[in-house]
Amino acid sequence: MMEEQYYLDQDGVAYAIVEQQQGGSFQNLQTLVEVSSILAGQQDLYQPSDIQSEYTATPVTLSLPHTSSVNLLQRPTILPPRSDSFLPAIDQESRQPLSIPTSVVQEAPVKKPRKRGEAAQVRPCKVCGERAGKHSYYGGEVCPSCRAFFRRSVQSGYNATYCCVRDGDCEVTLKTRKNCQFCRYKLCLACGMKTTWVLTEEERKQKFEGRGKRKRNSEDPDGENIDGNLATITGFINEEEMLEVNDLVKTSGYFEMSKVNDMETSLIRDIIRMIAFSHRLPTTGQKQLKDVLGKRFRKIAKKLREFQLLSFKDREEILDQNIPFVVEMQICTFFNPDLMWREQFVPLMGQEEVDKLDKKLKSLNVAGLDDLQVQYSHMFNQPDLQDYKQLQEAVKEVGGWAQDACEYVLLSMVLLFCPDMIDLLERRRVEEMQLKFATLLQKYLNQKHQTEPRVSVSRFASGLNLVTKCKEVYRMVAVVPMEEN
């Protein structure tokens, strides 16, 4: 029997959270909204998101949560059901809401105001079908969860980045409402919810602190410094956190001078031919290269303290499911359009080995080395022409994002601990680990771009979007038939 627990929000509204214990898997990225819920001062639960490649922020001012009293153990499940145990909205209507004294609410102009303490009418949420709240939230008859989702979407500005991976008409129910943010947000607008009714930080302060008539910040009436406020609120990375990031970089072996000990001689020979004579990497070389990178990341993961805290099953699941995505991410970094061949192969072979190879090729009078840039098509097979253009854009976007070792390693950790589509025993623990690295990345970007806070916020959003992009690249190259060259 599922247990209902009732809570009061800051408006004095009672609502219920039903904890689900069913297992399963889901498809949506969670971290961005999880982090943005912290930035937006939201103590409610986060929602997963699918994010587009471009980031635009809505002019709002956000605040940090004042307490850390959120109990993750009371959060409703985000996994879709494995059985037919889903209770439709009509069954939930039979439940009687807890009678809690609230302010007088008028249901409709033709009805009399409900008296204090009187039980609220049970109404379905027009977005997901769950029991709607006692009030009209932002102009729509929705449940507290959809209200929180709508507010976070508007305050963070991520509502402009939502997209649907299907046809834009996904079914939104109590069980599926976290699967597609685009369709859920579209239903919020369709039921009458208005973005202009969402309060800014200044308006919220004046409302809840009783400081009279609400008004916008006179120093920034147009919200032109919203991104700056967001970066400032999040804070900068401190010395202890920076030491942890540096340890991660060291563990990753990013700056190792020589990395060819685990590479087959035939693979090194194929790479030399590719650089010196523009030969494409043969099928065997492609497989060997990905195997080498996969083994490296497995060794790195097993050294991480966070990874060691997980159960054996969860560790194996993360290695099997997420390592291929991390491998594709590193391969994309080889093809950063701003790099020449020497910089392209340093992450793979090490600076010392690249210098030796460069010296050897020059001694053999190989021409064109100074202007050589190895293309993706030289190293890997191409899909059909139409998809290849999409693949090129994705590789360029992923490969060109990281500007230094700290950014690359932190984003790799966010991708490694991504719980999407994984059958985990301790899903919440993995989510918390992913959130930790995402927060470190945000703080590091704030510190790095402290004179340009807008750049920090924009790069953080686009960086998290690469988690989905890396998976798209993997799926595109996975269907490409490998042919001998």
Side-chain angles (χ1 to χ4, degrees), residues 23-31 34 46-50 75 77-82 166 175-176 178-180 417-424 427-428 430-431 434 471 475:
S25 61
F26 59 99
Q27 301 177 355
N28 301 102
L29 174 66
Q30 304 164 9
T31 307
E34 188 172 0
Y46 60 84
Q47 311 292 337
S49 73
D50 288 333
R75 183 179 64 183
T77 178
I78 56 179
L79 303 178
R82 287 182 175 177
R166 294 185 176 87
K175 297 291 185 179
T176 65
K178 297 182 180 181
N179 292 348
C180 181
F417 288 98
C418 180
D420 293 14
M421 298 295 294
I422 302 182
D423 185 15
L424 298 169
R427 180 175 297 275
R428 291 195 186 104
V430 177
E431 292 171 353
Q434 188 190 40
K471 297 181 180 182
R475 295 185 184 103

Side-chain angles (χ1 to χ4, degrees), residues 208-371:
F208 297 115
E209 294 178 8
R211 294 183 178 178
K213 184 179 179 181
R214 295 176 298 179
K215 60 183 179 179
R216 293 185 178 271
N217 190 339
S218 59
E219 298 179 359
D220 188 21
D222 298 326
E224 295 179 352
N225 194 35
I226 297 306
D227 289 343
N229 292 335
L230 179 59
T232 303
I233 290 173
T234 309
F236 304 125
I237 192 166
N238 57 41
E239 183 177 355
E240 181 179 355
E241 292 170 333
M242 196 64 227
L243 289 174
E244 182 177 2
V245 173
N246 290 333
D247 287 340
L248 284 173
V249 174
K250 182 178 179 181
T251 302
S252 71
Y254 188 91
F255 291 112
E256 286 184 8
M257 298 301 291
S258 177
K259 304 180 183 181
V260 298
N261 290 336
D262 57 354
M263 298 173 63
E264 296 287 343
T265 303
S266 58
L267 173 59
I268 298 176
R269 187 181 298 115
D270 290 335
I271 292 176
I272 293 175
R273 281 199 293 259
M274 181 176 58
I275 296 173
F277 309 112
S278 299
H279 288 181
R280 287 184 59 188
L281 194 65
T283 302
T284 53
Q286 298 175 35
K287 186 177 184 305
Q288 288 176 343
L289 175 60
K290 291 191 176 183
D291 287 345
V292 167
L293 295 178
K295 291 177 181 178
R296 289 180 182 178
F297 282 117
R298 281 177 171 268
K299 291 181 180 178
I300 293 170
K302 293 177 180 180
K303 295 178 183 178
L304 300 175
R305 181 179 60 86
E306 291 80 5
F307 186 81
Q308 296 171 358
L309 295 175
L310 298 175
S311 65
F312 175 80
K313 179 184 179 302
D314 287 353
R315 293 199 302 267
E316 291 301 309
E317 191 74 12
I318 288 176
L319 293 177
D320 293 340
Q321 299 296 326
N322 286 352
I323 290 296
F325 303 143
V326 183
V327 168
E328 293 300 333
M329 176 182 169
Q330 180 164 37
I331 290 176
C332 289
T333 62
F334 296 163
F335 305 101
N336 184 328
D338 297 329
L339 302 181
M340 293 294 103
W341 77 270
R342 298 176 188 84
E343 292 82 9
Q344 286 181 281
F345 286 93
V346 166
L348 175 63
M349 304 173 64
Q351 185 67 58
E352 180 179 325
E353 301 299 331
V354 171
D355 291 341
K356 290 180 181 178
L357 178 58
D358 182 40
K359 184 177 180 180
K360 182 65 176 179
L361 293 177
K362 287 183 177 178
S363 68
L364 298 175
N365 297 322
V366 177
L369 290 177
D370 293 336
D371 300 324

